[in-house]
């Protein structure tokens, strides 16, 4: 591994923003890509206030970016924060992990004119971290309690955003999650070097302090049916994300030390949170000193390769069946991984896993791109007589996620799903085909982004409120 790869600054879990500001020398930890006040002002003042806010149009939350940039440039940070948080429940999270190159920053007119984008994400993070530091972020002070309860299944960004919006209105909100910690993929999927866990824990604590009730280690489908939960609440939101890992069925697939991406990332995140993780501690799920091969070309694959690098792997290789230009993952993530010494083997696909009990090597086919398939992308096809072998101590499969079979799992066969298994909802109201049951986030979109999950959570909250108000009116009429 190049020397550069090993020079990481360890992220102290108890390390809030103050230390973060000082130690930002490490080359590849985006979280240290931090601003001090003068730089935030300088960057914000680069916004030309162009009048056609393409950045805002391409932000899923329609954040009023030009106005909060102007306020930051003028040093009016508290007002900038108030404006930024009015459309986003977790600006400091989005500032860190939105793929800005595809959203706001990629559409900044200054970027388009070749002068480099205003670094919107970093400024958003800076404004919100300043707000936390100065005590401007406060628990919700509910003055008008409403005696109606909503049950939310899933404590990921969609569920959390919906909970916050409903609690602000005075509703009683309970979030159920099968994990032992709230946060969904923010806590156990996305690695700490992209999103520090204290940032997620600080948000969920704020919700607890605002009166949101969390019921953890509670799996709907095992600990209750959907119907039983519906009987406890006036409305339900399903925000369970997508967790069924796509498989690669090849000879040798059942060898030891071939893992799905989430198993690898969850172990690493739990370790970072200070948990005892036997599979990590005994070396099984730890990359240190090993040859690691990751299969896949999306953002999850990038998180796996970069986590392996940080665990001091001997070598990290990423196999992807198309070429670099056709990779689904963010270009920025790929170049970060390349800089860190990850070896990408483009146009390659595993043919066979080899080993006696544990994986020892892979036989890989070289691929070439053929005619476009149904999706419009050029189809990878095997190059004749191109097989080669690579050594591996651990293989990680990062081929994407599909929804679990929720109607079966929830014992609610009536719940309608699409042909992809995502929950079918009304486009405007986000209500499912069962009255009073709504859905949001990845479980309606398929694997997507945090910012879209937040947007869905907010929209679902609005619809749930309308639904409850209408029901109340109808009840009054009957009475
Ligand atoms: C490795 C990885 C890295 C990613 N990196 C990024 C990134 O950098 N930027 C970005 O924008 N997006 C990223 N994403 C995508 C992003 O994390 C998701 O789009 C987002 O978290 C979806 O939010 P959600 O609330 O719909 O679901 P989730 O975050 O998946 O939360 C769903 C919650 O529901 C719970 N749950 C599921 N089933 C049940 C049940 N039966 N009973 C009770 N609880 C249940 C789960 O335990 C979980 O806590 C990444 C995804 C992965 C996998
Ligand atoms: S939420 Fe994401 S897309 Fe919107 S302004 Fe922030 S970083 Fe950009």
């Amino acid at each position: 591994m190049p020397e550069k790869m090993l020079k990481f600054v360890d992220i102290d879990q108890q390390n809030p923003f103050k230390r973060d500001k000082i130690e930002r020398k490490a080359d590849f930890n985006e979280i240290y890509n931090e601003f001090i006040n003068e730089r935030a002002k300088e960057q914000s003042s680069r916004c030309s206030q162009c009048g056609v806010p393409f950045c805002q149009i391409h932000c899923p939350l329609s954040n009023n970016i030009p106005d909060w940039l102007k306020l930051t440039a003028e040093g009016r940070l508290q007002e900038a924060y108030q404006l930024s948080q009015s459309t986003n429940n977790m600006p400091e999270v989005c500032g860190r992990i939105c793929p800005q190159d595809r959203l706001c920053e990629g559409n900044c007119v200054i970027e388009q004119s070749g002068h480099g984008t205003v670094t919107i994400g970093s400024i958003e993070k800076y404004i919100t971290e300043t707000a936390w530091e100065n005590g401007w972020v406060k628990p919700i002070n509910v003055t008008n309690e409403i005696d109606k309860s909503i049950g939310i299944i899933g404590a990921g960004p969609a569920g959390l955003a919906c909970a916050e919006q409903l609690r602000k209105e005075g509703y009683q909100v309970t979030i159920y999650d099968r994990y032992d910690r709230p946060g969904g993929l923010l806590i156990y999927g996305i690695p700490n070097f992209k999103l520090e866990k204290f940032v997620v824990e600080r948000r969920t604590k704020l919700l607890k302090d605002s009166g949101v009730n969390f019921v953890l280690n509670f799996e709907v489908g095992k600990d209750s049916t959907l119907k039983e939960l519906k009987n406890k609440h006036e409305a339900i939101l399903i925000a369970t994300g997508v967790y069924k890992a796509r498989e690669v069925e090849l000879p040798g697939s059942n060898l030891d030390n071939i893992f799905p991406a989430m198993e690898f990332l969850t172990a690493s995140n739990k370790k970072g949170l200070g948990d005892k993780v036997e599979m990590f501690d005994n070396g099984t799920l730890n990359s240190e000193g090993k040859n690691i091969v990751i299969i896949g070309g999306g953002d999850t694959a990038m998180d796996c390769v970069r986590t392996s690098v940080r665990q001091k792997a001997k070598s990290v290789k990423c196999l992807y069946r198309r070429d670099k230009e056709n990779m689904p993952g963010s270009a920025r993530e790929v170049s970060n991984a390349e800089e860190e010494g990850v070896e990408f083997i483009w146009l390659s696909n595993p043919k066979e896993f080899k080993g006696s009990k544990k994986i020892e090597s892979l036989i890989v086919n070289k691929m070439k791109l053929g005619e476009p398939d149904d999706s419009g992308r050029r189809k990878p096809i095997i190059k004749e007589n191109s097989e080669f072998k690579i050594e591996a101590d651990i293989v990680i499969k990062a081929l994407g996620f599909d929804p679990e079979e929720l109607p079966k799992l929830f014992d609610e066969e009536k719940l309608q799903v699409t042909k992809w298994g995502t929950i079918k909802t009304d486009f405007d109201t986000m209500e499912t085909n069962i009255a009073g049951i709504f859905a949001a986030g990845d479980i309606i979109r398929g694997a997507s982004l945090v910012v879209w999950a937040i947007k869905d959570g907010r929209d679902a909250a609005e619809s749930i409120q309308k639904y409850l108000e209408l029901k109340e009116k109808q009840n009054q009429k009957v009475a």
Side-chain angles (χ1 to χ4, degrees):
M1 289 260 133
E3 170 69 3
K4 196 177 173 192
M5 286 177 65
L6 306 174
K7 275 199 256 153
F8 296 115
V9 177
D10 252 356
I11 299 156
D12 174 358
Q13 288 304 313
Q14 305 310 317
N15 161 21
F17 183 58
K18 277 186 187 129
R19 207 202 76 177
D20 201 20
K21 264 184 174 173
I22 306 159
E23 296 210 20
R24 70 182 78 90
K25 297 181 203 95
D27 276 343
F28 350 94
N29 270 340
E30 296 85 303
I31 62 161
Y32 293 111
N33 186 9
E34 194 52 72
F35 280 122
I36 50 169
N37 198 18
E38 283 316 306
R39 269 200 66 201
K41 271 189 183 176
E42 183 192 304
Q43 266 296 321
S44 302
S45 61
R46 290 183 63 233
C47 173
S48 66
Q49 299 288 321
C50 57
V52 193
F54 288 115
C55 55
Q56 182 169 4
I57 294 165
H58 287 87
C59 166
L61 293 164
S62 297
N63 283 344
N64 190 344
I65 302 163
D67 282 1
W68 50 251
L69 287 178
K70 189 164 188 290
L71 290 166
T72 307
E74 290 168 2
R76 295 158 66 186
L77 284 181
Q78 190 162 3
E79 291 161 86
Y81 163 69
Q82 289 303 343
L83 188 59
S84 140
Q85 64 82 47
S86 67
T87 50
N88 190 351
N89 301 71
M90 307 174 197
E92 73 284 27
V93 172
C94 293
R96 281 168 167 89
I97 59 161
C98 267
Q100 286 102 5
D101 51 344
R102 284 189 259 149
L103 301 170
C104 53
E105 293 181 10
N107 291 282
C108 165
V109 289
I110 301 181
E111 169 77 4
Q112 302 288 335
S113 63
H115 293 91
T117 180
V118 174
T119 53
I120 298 165
S122 297
I123 298 168
E124 188 177 30
K125 173 189 167 188
Y126 173 74
I127 295 168
T128 322
E129 288 300 342
T130 308
W132 279 101
E133 209 177 359
N134 286 289
W136 304 335
V137 187
K138 294 201 169 69
I140 303 162
N141 177 18
V142 178
T143 49
N144 175 30
E145 292 285 357
I146 301 175
D147 188 19
K148 290 203 181 320
S149 81
I150 295 98
I152 295 180
I153 313 170
L160 296 176
C162 181
E164 183 172 354
Q165 294 304 100
L166 288 169
R167 191 68 196 121
K168 277 183 193 159
E169 296 299 325
Y171 290 102
Q172 312 308 310
V173 183
T174 300
I175 307 187
Y176 302 87
D177 203 292
R178 63 185 173 191
Y179 282 152
D180 55 349
R181 287 186 176 91
L185 288 172
L186 301 181
I187 198 94
Y188 284 143
I190 301 173
N192 200 48
F193 64 85
K194 271 168 66 180
L195 177 62
E196 312 95 300
K197 300 306 158 191
F198 82 86
V199 173
V200 184
E201 292 186 321
R202 192 173 57 180
R203 272 284 158 201
T204 49
K205 180 174 181 305
L206 189 80
L207 285 183
K208 278 180 206 157
D209 294 345
S210 303
V212 172
N213 182 26
F214 284 87
V215 181
L216 300 175
N217 296 307
F218 186 99
E219 181 164 352
V220 179
K222 207 172 94 200
D223 298 309
S224 102
T225 63
L226 183 61
K227 212 173 263 148
E228 283 163 355
L229 215 58
K230 176 72 173 69
N231 290 338
K232 279 196 197 163
H233 300 282
E234 264 82 12
I236 293 282
L237 177 76
I238 304 174
T240 47
V242 289
Y243 284 87
K244 195 165 91 187
R246 289 192 194 133
E247 272 306 327
V248 46
E249 291 299 343
L250 294 174
S253 288
N254 55 355
L255 286 169
D256 287 351
N257 291 359
I258 303 178
F259 299 107
M262 270 307 286
E263 201 173 329
F264 174 71
L265 292 172
T266 305
S268 173
N269 276 319
K270 276 185 173 271
K271 206 59 215 160
L273 282 155
D275 292 357
K276 193 169 161 27
V277 184
E278 209 180 310
M279 292 270 278
F280 186 93
D281 297 335
N282 68 20
T284 313
L285 272 172
N286 183 349
S287 309
E288 187 166 356
K290 295 185 181 144
N291 294 311
I292 310 297
V293 175
I294 284 108
I295 307 170
D299 287 335
T300 302
M302 293 312 100
D303 286 344
C304 292
V305 296
R306 300 185 71 203
T307 299
S308 288
V309 168
R310 281 156 181 77
Q311 289 178 0
K312 300 191 173 72
K314 188 169 158 197
S315 73
V316 185
K317 293 189 174 65
C318 180
L319 302 185
Y320 180 56
R321 62 195 181 133
R322 291 190 167 89
D323 57 9
K324 189 173 180 180
E325 287 65 46
N326 285 292
M327 232 175 151
S330 137
R332 190 149 75 184
E333 286 285 295
V334 177
S335 83
N336 284 337
E338 279 180 326
E339 240 182 72
E340 293 171 16
V342 173
E343 185 187 339
F344 285 89
I345 309 183
W346 310 112
L347 291 161
S348 66
N349 209 23
K351 182 186 173 207
E352 192 178 344
F353 299 117
K354 294 269 205 195
S356 49
K357 186 166 182 299
K358 291 181 185 165
I359 180 84
E360 287 165 19
S361 62
L362 295 89
I363 305 297
V364 181
N365 277 318
K366 271 273 163 211
M367 310 295 280
K368 58 184 177 185
L369 294 181
E371 293 300 311
D373 60 16
D374 292 347
S375 69
R377 297 173 75 200
R378 288 178 67 194
K379 203 173 161 186
I381 38 184
I382 296 172
K383 251 187 181 174
E384 301 259 322
N385 303 321
S386 65
E387 280 177 21
F388 63 100
K389 183 176 154 186
I390 46 179
E391 307 292 321
D393 301 308
I394 292 181
V395 169
I396 299 165
K397 300 173 285 182
L399 297 146
F401 303 93
D402 288 316
E404 292 157 281
E405 282 178 59
L406 285 196
K408 205 167 153 197
L409 197 75
F410 284 2
D411 195 18
E412 185 51 271
E413 297 291 345
K414 273 195 305 191
L415 184 68
Q416 277 181 8
V417 293
T418 66
K419 64 176 178 181
W420 300 279
T422 48
I423 295 182
K424 211 172 194 172
T425 52
D426 180 284
F427 191 74
D428 291 324
T429 64
M430 305 179 77
E431 195 170 13
T432 67
N433 63 311
I434 304 176
I437 300 186
F438 297 76
D442 279 5
I443 194 57
I444 61 167
R445 290 178 181 273
S448 178
L449 292 174
V450 169
V451 65
W452 281 113
I454 295 173
K455 156 94 175 122
D456 284 351
R458 294 173 70 89
D459 288 351
E462 218 179 294
S463 286
I464 291 171
Q465 185 179 0
K466 278 188 195 147
Y467 165 83
L468 292 175
E469 284 170 356
L470 187 69
K471 213 168 138 193
E472 176 75 15
K473 269 190 204 149
Q474 285 166 345
N475 287 345
Q476 278 168 2
K477 261 192 202 161
V478 174

